[in-house]
Amino acid sequence: MTLDTPQPGSLRPGGRTARVREAVLRAAGDLLAERGFASLDLAEVAARADVGKTTVYRRWRTPTGLIADLLVDMAETSLPHANTGSLDGDLLANARLVAKTLTDPRQAPLFKAVIAAATCDEATTEALRRFYDTRLTAWLPCVTAAISRGELPPETDGRAVLSAVSAPLYYRLLASGDPLDDEVATAAAEAAALAARAGLFTSKKS
Amino acid sequence: MTLDTPQPGSLRPGGRTARVREAVLRAAGDLLAERGFASLDLAEVAARADVGKTTVYRRWRTPTGLIADLLVDMAETSLPHANTGSLDGDLLANARLVAKTLTDPRQAPLFKAVIAAATCDEATTEALRRFYDTRLTAWLPCVTAAISRGELPPETDGRAVLSAVSAPLYYRLLASGDPLDDEVATAAAEAAALAARAGLFTSKKS
């Protein structure tokens, strides 16, 4: 979106660049979701996006370069954190959002594909880390607010709390294959809130 | 190992087959750990295992066929469940075992590779599901014993409890990249025990 901002004294010069990026990332995401990352091909992405092959090769160079940029875009479009007034409400909203993403017919295979890609390439690993850093950081205010309300110990590690909410959902998606339904999301949120209140997510410095 | 059992009236006919499988799976695991699954090549596995290429192609056919058999072997070599006499002790033992595996210089990249492979191939997905099914099932007696001791509600779902122990560790390995140390393993075990005692992992039938 930032690329789309008109520059002074020009006729929307960022316009085409931004539209090309949007089309290419959309095509890359579709192909990743349909077939996984192992068969991602820049020429095919270009054809699907209706963009010149040379443009795609020049700008993204490799499939992993394209996936890294897709992760930047995915981080930018993360939904803002909930503000329900209670830790339980906020964590439940977070769990349901993650569960919705990981059961979505396009998003679920897309997340599998980018996580798989990250296992094979260092730059993609870094992009994936930054993506989760952005996602976790965006929701930290829920934990900070709970601390302010006296719901949680002051030294609670918000990242650990939010990781505890997401983790059981990702474990089902990537490892066990067990169902990922609203009951599981609710239990994940409640378990994380309970453990956080008990002080299990504070840094135990010796 | 079962293939290595001498048959009556023969000179260890299963011996060579079992040794070939062991060498091939060892080589496949090493190569997966070193370079990820995307570049797994049967000819290279055969060379590394010092086994004829034809034998490897005939028996395993494809890289994913080989990964599926590796997962069968990994499930067979799972460590037995702990029996410390308390839920806390058993879950801590489980968390430490999983954390040790997922931080091991060979096992960590190997687990990433087989999970990545499972995102691209249906048969490998099935093999991965069966692997986690074996692992989770092997530790269910810890939850059953805790129920018998009155530590947990009778209708507690043992799979959900054990998944809750593993999940934060896998989330760090595959998604966030946050450190995976003994403090995290301990918190995962304690949080799972606390949530299980609170009845969060019982099936809420309406």
Side-chain angles (χ1 to χ4, degrees):
Chain A
M1 286 300 190
T2 53
L3 289 171
D4 216 355
T5 314
Q7 304 292 308
S10 69
L11 195 67
R12 303 187 69 245
R16 191 179 171 275
T17 305
R19 281 196 305 277
V20 163
R21 181 175 181 241
E22 196 186 328
V24 166
L25 294 185
R26 158 63 55 175
D30 287 348
L31 285 167
L32 283 169
E34 286 164 26
R35 278 186 256 146
F37 97 97
S39 50
L40 188 69
D41 176 72
L42 292 194
E44 200 179 358
V45 171
R48 175 83 71 110
D50 203 15
V51 163
K53 217 160 62 172
T54 318
T55 304
V56 175
Y57 278 102
R58 199 188 313 120
R59 183 149 176 200
W60 288 279
R61 288 145 161 261
T62 59
T64 50
L66 185 51
I67 293 171
D69 195 34
L70 179 64
L71 282 162
V72 170
D73 184 63
M74 286 165 70
E76 282 165 1
T77 54
S78 284
L79 291 179
H81 67 86
N83 187 4
T84 65
S86 77
L87 179 69
D88 288 344
D90 287 356
L91 295 190
L92 184 59
N94 184 257
R96 284 184 167 153
L97 185 64
V98 174
K100 194 179 159 204
T101 301
L102 300 187
T103 52
D104 180 87
R106 183 178 186 267
Q107 297 284 311
L110 177 56
F111 270 78
K112 283 185 186 180
V114 295
I115 289 169
T119 68
C120 294
D121 176 73
E122 196 54 49
T124 313
T125 307
E126 275 313 301
L128 188 74
R129 301 303 178 233
R130 281 196 298 276
F131 168 76
Y132 283 104
D133 188 52
T134 305
R135 288 248 160 150
L136 291 169
T137 303
W139 280 71
L140 283 181
C142 298
V143 177
T144 316
I147 294 171
S148 304
R149 286 188 301 261
E151 286 193 76
L152 292 178
E155 67 279 19
T156 301
D157 175 358
R159 249 179 117 86
V161 178
L162 293 162
S163 297
V165 175
S166 283
L169 312 175
Y170 277 86
Y171 183 76
R172 280 166 171 75
L173 178 77
L174 297 165
S176 73
D178 285 345
L180 212 169
D181 53 22
D182 195 60
E183 193 178 302
V184 168
T186 304
E190 289 179 355
L194 192 66
R197 282 202 192 88
L200 296 182
F201 299 132
T202 56
S203 263
K204 289 163 202 161
K205 305 267 156 53
S206 58
Chain B
M1 288 301 188
T2 52
L3 289 171
D4 217 353
T5 313
Q7 304 292 309
S10 69
L11 194 67
R12 303 187 69 245
R16 190 178 172 275
T17 305
R19 281 196 306 277
V20 163
R21 181 174 182 242
E22 196 187 328
V24 166
L25 295 185
R26 159 63 55 173
D30 287 347
L31 285 167
L32 283 169
E34 285 164 26
R35 279 186 253 146
F37 97 98
S39 51
L40 188 70
D41 176 72
L42 292 195
E44 201 179 356
V45 171
R48 175 82 73 110
D50 203 15
V51 163
K53 217 160 63 172
T54 318
T55 305
V56 175
Y57 278 103
R58 199 188 314 119
R59 182 148 175 202
W60 288 280
R61 287 145 162 260
T62 59
T64 50
L66 185 51
I67 293 171
D69 195 33
L70 179 63
L71 282 162
V72 170
D73 184 62
M74 286 165 69
E76 281 164 4
T77 55
S78 285
L79 291 178
H81 67 85
N83 187 3
T84 65
S86 77
L87 179 69
D88 288 344
D90 287 356
L91 295 190
L92 184 59
N94 184 258
R96 284 184 166 154
L97 185 65
V98 174
K100 194 180 161 204
T101 301
L102 300 187
T103 53
D104 180 87
R106 182 177 186 268
Q107 297 284 311
L110 178 56
F111 270 79
K112 283 185 186 180
V114 295
I115 289 169
T119 67
C120 293
D121 176 74
E122 196 54 50
T124 313
T125 306
E126 274 314 303
L128 188 73
R129 301 303 178 234
R130 281 195 298 276
F131 168 76
Y132 282 104
D133 188 52
T134 305
R135 288 247 160 152
L136 291 169
T137 303
W139 281 70
L140 284 181
C142 298
V143 176
T144 316
I147 294 172
S148 305
R149 288 188 299 262
E151 287 194 76
L152 291 178
E155 66 279 20
T156 300
D157 175 358
R159 250 180 115 86
V161 178
L162 293 162
S163 297
V165 176
S166 283
L169 312 175
Y170 277 86
Y171 184 75
R172 280 167 171 75
L173 178 76
L174 296 166
S176 74
D178 284 345
L180 212 168
D181 53 23
D182 195 60
E183 193 178 301
V184 168
T186 305
E190 290 179 356
L194 192 66
R197 282 203 192 87
L200 296 182
F201 298 133
T202 55
S203 263
K204 290 164 201 158
K205 306 265 157 54
S206 57

